[in-house]
């Protein structure tokens, strides 16, 4: 049990509606991002659009907010003592949904199937988070910082095998349509847990429970109360709607070469200038086209042999492009 001075104050006698609204707002943001991803998937948006720039930051903010709220909810539900029956029931629902998503995406898109996405992270984080329920908030926050920083220091070939991809410590991130590994993302859960502990000690949840969010927030609150169902349903609905639209108004078909260059240049320009990226991506395309390597890449090949070749080509093209720019050569 908690010592008397550190016992969390009672938040409320029921649900805190403001937290449901926050969860619903995160779901709405997620639906917007997924719709943009679907537009890209069906060819209505540029390849690689949602994996770069503002869209990439948007996706990370959404995932962080979900996981932060997982930590908050874990503390509110079990901070005064773990309610095992409810805990195992919820864990079984989340883990079952995660397994279903893995199975469906493996059948539909085997080259990028979701083997450790947001639901997998939530399921494992719920278990790991129990070990931090009784720790002081500041110690939990220090652990969160360590988890977030870990990929910058602990990446190793020891974690390159697919069996360890869930850790997030492989030298190269595997291809997946939703990849949320333990490191660094469990850190967001721990930040939520630490924040909830501090907030409870200050009586914040008691005040939050009395906040009237207004009638405008009712749809968000409803979605927040049924977040798992909304998460599972929204993407099939969006995809089905776009598929029907595409039957009447198909998107223009672009060749793999055009798609590769667009995606390559968008990713490259996050760290280099446009001139470098244009030349670099032409070099990479020239290197990948022989021997059917580009075709293998678009087919979702994640073999170590192909990854090694791509890394070698990337290094060679970086050197060649830098030299070409210094010498003033044509792209």
């Amino acid at each position: 049990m908690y010592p008397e001075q550190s016992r969390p104050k009672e938040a409320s006698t029921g649900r805190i509606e403001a937290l449901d609204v926050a969860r619903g707002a995160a779901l709405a943001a997620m639906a917007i991002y997924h719709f943009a991803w679907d537009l890209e998937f069906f060819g209505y948006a540029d390849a690689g659009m949602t994996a770069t720039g503002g869209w990439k930051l948007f996706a990370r903010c959404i995932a962080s907010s979900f996981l932060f709220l997982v930590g908050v909810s874990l503390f509110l539900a079990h901070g005064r003592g773990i309610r095992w029956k409810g805990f195992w029931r919820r864990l079984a629902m989340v883990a079952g949904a995660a397994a279903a998503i893995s199975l469906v995406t493996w059948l539909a898109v085997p080259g990028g199937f979701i083997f450790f996405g947001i639901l997998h992270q939530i399921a494992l984080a719920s278990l790991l988070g129990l070990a931090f329920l009784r720790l002081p908030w500041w110690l939990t926050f220090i652990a969160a910082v360590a988890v977030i920083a870990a990929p910058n220091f602990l990446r190793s070939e020891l974690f390159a095998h697919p069996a360890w991809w869930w850790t997030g410590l492989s030298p190269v991130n595997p291809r997946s349509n939703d990849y949320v590994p333990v490191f660094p993302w469990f850190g967001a859960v721990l930040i939520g847990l630490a924040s909830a502990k501090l907030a409870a000690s200050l009586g914040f949840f008691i005040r939050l429970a009395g906040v009237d969010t207004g009638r405008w927030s009712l749809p968000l609150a409803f979605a927040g109360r049924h977040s798992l169902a909304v998460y599972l349903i929204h993407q099939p609905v969006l995809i089905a709607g776009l598929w029907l639209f595409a039957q009447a108004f198909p998107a223009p078909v672009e060749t793999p070469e055009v798609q590769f260059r667009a995606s390559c240049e968008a990713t490259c320009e996050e760290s280099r200038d446009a001139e470098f990226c244009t030349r670099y991506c032409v070099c990479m395309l020239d290197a990948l086209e022989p021997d059917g390597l580009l075709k293998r890449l678009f087919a979702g090949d994640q073999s170590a042999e192909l990854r090694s070749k791509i890394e070698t080509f990337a290094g060679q093209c970086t050197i060649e492009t830098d030299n070409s720019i210094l010498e003033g050569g044509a792209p």
Side-chain angles (χ1 to χ4, degrees), residues 32 59 102 134 191 195 209 215 218 232 276:
I32 292 171
S102 290
R134 302 302 175 90
I191 291 177
S195 299
R215 294 182 60 85
L218 290 178
L232 293 174
F276 172 89

Side-chain angles (χ1 to χ4, degrees), residues 50-235:
T50 56
T52 59
W55 282 107
K56 182 177 180 180
L57 178 61
F58 186 44
R60 290 182 174 180
C61 289
I62 295 168
S64 297
S65 66
F66 266 112
L67 296 174
F68 176 88
L69 290 170
V70 167
V72 172
S73 298
L74 185 66
F75 177 78
L76 290 176
H78 306 290
R80 293 181 63 89
I82 302 173
R83 298 180 294 155
W84 288 110
K85 183 177 179 180
F87 175 82
W88 290 122
R89 181 173 64 249
R90 177 183 175 278
L91 182 65
M93 291 173 60
V94 175
I101 286 177
S102 290
L103 177 61
V104 170
T105 56
W106 182 74
L107 293 172
V109 282
F113 89 101
I114 300 172
F115 60 89
F116 205 87
I118 189 76
L119 290 184
H120 304 74
Q121 171 65 247
I122 290 174
L124 183 56
S126 297
L127 278 172
L128 297 178
L130 297 180
F132 295 87
L133 280 175
R134 302 302 175 90
L135 296 181
W137 73 266
W138 57 267
L139 192 55
T140 304
F141 183 78
I142 290 174
V145 173
V147 169
I148 292 171
N152 296 314
F153 304 100
L154 300 181
R155 288 187 183 272
S156 168
E157 289 293 338
L158 295 173
F159 300 101
H161 190 278
W164 294 104
W165 283 350
W166 60 272
T167 64
L169 298 178
S170 174
V172 179
N173 285 339
R175 183 176 179 182
S176 176
N177 287 326
D178 185 25
Y179 182 51
V180 190
V182 172
F183 299 97
W185 291 102
F186 180 51
V189 178
L190 291 179
I191 291 177
L193 189 56
S195 299
K197 292 179 183 183
L198 178 60
S201 70
L202 299 174
F204 175 76
F205 289 121
I206 295 175
R207 296 192 295 273
L208 189 63
V211 173
D212 182 5
T213 57
R215 294 182 60 85
W216 66 268
S217 66
L218 290 178
L220 293 178
F222 178 83
R225 286 193 297 271
H226 305 281
S227 55
L228 181 59
V230 173
Y231 180 87
L232 293 174
I233 293 170
H234 84 282
Q235 183 66 320

Side-chain angles (χ1 to χ4, degrees), residues 42-44 245-253:
F42 279 93
Y44 294 104
F245 180 83
Q247 305 314 299
F249 306 99
V253 179

